[in-house]
Amino acid sequence: MTKTEESTTTVTTAGRWALGGDLSVSRTGFGAMRLPMRDFGIPGVDPRQAVAVLRRAVELGVDHIDTAAFYFHQDVTANALIREALHPYRDDLVIATKVGPGRRRPDGEWLSPAGPEELKAAVHDNLRELGLDRLDLVYLRLQPPNDGALAERFGALAELQQEGLIRHLGISNATVEQLAEAQRIAPVASVQNRFSVGSRTDSAVLDACTEQSIAFVPYYPLVGKGGDQAVSDTAQLEAIAARYGASTAQVKLAWLLALSPSVLIIPGTSSPAHLEENMAAGALTLAPADLAALTAPHTV
Ligand SMILES: NC(=O)c1ccc[n+]([C@@H]2O[C@H](COP(=O)([O-])OP(=O)(O)OC[C@H]3O[C@@H](n4cnc5c(N)ncnc54)[C@H](OP(=O)(O)O)[C@@H]3O)[C@@H](O)[C@H]2O)c1
């Protein structure tokens, strides 16, 4: 077996999920935020490396890539990198994007929460930048903790869905109540909220997704913003990883995948070595005692 075949098997090992009931994706996907930037305001790697990482991710079996038009540093954007690396896209590649508060180009300053017309314009920006006629999955990204009523904003996206520009809708940074509010307007295929071994305040949202067969896509699964301490490696995490001969990143991702069949991971990296590591996490099966130990309150 070649290295590629071996790795493809490991991505597949995590199993698959049907987004919105009809869009099949591997439960191991890829988040593109870290390609054009290391973090907001901090430049990313050389675009040639970013393109190589995207191509390798797809080669490894990734068919779900998460992006947004507001992932950019100066003139390097995630959407343009994805297009350069992967267009014309494979039929089975699902590109998910998010609209919400935008960022001004090129300086990156965050703009105030977008209204319905700005959200519609942002959908068109994503279509143009990615070179697509229809977006597979568009999240309304709410600004935590609460940036107001969502009915008009989600309704605007539902109108674009009716027009055929969006296949499925999602919601990001949502509470259980906001999920229910969105569902009164249109079906929700996926929820994307912050969640990791070290950050589990949204477990009620995860439970709601599991009960209703909605995908739950945890963001910041590994490190978080600026090396956030809340998800830093604990001695316990390191000990568990050492016993499996795995990295702590792989343990964090395997823990997420074990939480619920609804969980789809999208770890982001600009490092070829980290990519290989992350994509293999689905092959790691943690024993129930280790899953429980990582889930216990004292590990946070
Ligand atoms: N909806 C939202 O509000 C929201 C917010 C943030 C992110 N997101 C989405 O969620 C995706 C995932 O979040 P994220 O990319 O920010 O995840 P993350 O958990 O913060 O991990 C990314 C960071 O971890 C490092 N890393 C990756 N793999 C590693 C490994 N195996 N070992 C050690 N370090 C590793 C990366 O650096 P290297 O490049 O050096 O590997 C990067 O700094 C994003 O790409 C984006 O698509 C959504």
Side-chain angles (χ1 to χ4, degrees):
M1 191 181 268
T2 67
K3 191 176 173 211
T4 305
E5 286 164 340
E6 220 170 35
S7 303
T8 302
T9 306
T10 57
V11 169
T12 311
T13 312
R16 299 189 69 76
W17 179 264
L19 276 166
D22 65 0
L23 209 49
S24 176
V25 291
S26 167
R27 292 182 64 215
T28 300
F30 180 79
M33 185 181 89
R34 304 286 185 168
L35 295 176
M37 57 188 206
R38 281 210 72 74
D39 213 329
F40 292 100
I42 304 172
V45 291
D46 184 315
R48 283 169 298 189
Q49 179 170 326
V51 164
V53 165
L54 281 163
R55 289 186 178 146
R56 181 67 180 146
V58 169
E59 195 180 37
L60 290 171
V62 164
D63 54 13
H64 170 209
I65 296 179
D66 187 80
T67 184
F70 46 78
Y71 293 159
F72 66 88
H73 185 82
Q74 293 174 356
D75 59 350
V76 183
T77 73
N79 283 350
L81 290 170
I82 291 169
R83 186 173 181 164
E84 182 183 341
L86 303 172
H87 195 278
Y89 304 115
R90 281 168 46 160
D91 288 345
D92 61 354
L93 180 67
V94 170
I95 301 179
T97 191
K98 297 174 285 296
V99 293
R103 290 175 73 216
R104 192 172 60 203
R105 287 190 191 165
D107 66 9
E109 186 175 322
W110 284 101
L111 305 170
S112 45
E117 291 312 311
E118 288 161 303
L119 291 171
K120 285 184 173 179
V123 167
H124 285 280
D125 289 345
N126 277 281
L127 284 165
R128 192 180 58 255
E129 290 172 9
L130 290 163
L132 287 167
D133 297 326
R134 180 173 67 161
L135 296 165
D136 286 326
L137 174 60
V138 177
Y139 293 90
L140 172 63
R141 182 181 176 277
L142 303 171
Q143 192 64 24
N146 187 351
D147 65 358
L150 60 79
E152 274 196 4
R153 290 179 288 164
F154 201 70
L157 299 184
E159 278 174 27
L160 296 188
Q161 184 181 35
Q162 292 293 321
E163 290 170 23
L165 296 182
I166 299 174
R167 186 154 168 180
H168 290 300
L169 295 174
I171 189 161
S172 178
N173 295 320
T175 61
V176 171
E177 294 71 29
Q178 286 168 324
L179 168 60
E181 190 184 346
Q183 287 176 301
R184 286 194 283 275
I185 297 161
V188 174
S190 185
V191 174
Q192 184 176 128
N193 278 18
R194 181 174 189 166
F195 204 88
S196 67
V197 169
S199 178
R200 292 182 245 142
T201 46
D202 283 352
S203 53
V205 183
L206 168 60
D207 292 345
C209 288
T210 303
E211 282 159 21
Q212 300 180 63
S213 293
I214 295 169
F216 182 87
V217 179
Y219 75 78
Y220 286 163
L222 298 174
V223 174
K225 195 166 173 55
D228 197 325
Q229 289 307 304
V231 270
S232 60
D233 292 353
T234 58
Q236 181 192 44
L237 196 55
E238 281 170 0
I240 291 173
R243 268 195 281 112
Y244 289 89
S247 68
T248 53
Q250 288 175 320
V251 172
K252 290 176 199 172
L253 296 174
W255 177 85
L256 283 168
L257 286 167
L259 286 176
S260 159
S262 284
V263 169
L264 311 181
I265 57 169
I266 51 162
T269 182
S270 55
S271 148
H274 288 165
L275 177 74
E276 301 285 334
E277 202 178 300
N278 298 346
M279 297 301 105
L284 176 62
T285 305
L286 299 171
D290 292 322
L291 290 171
L294 289 169
T295 307
H298 69 268
T299 63
V300 186

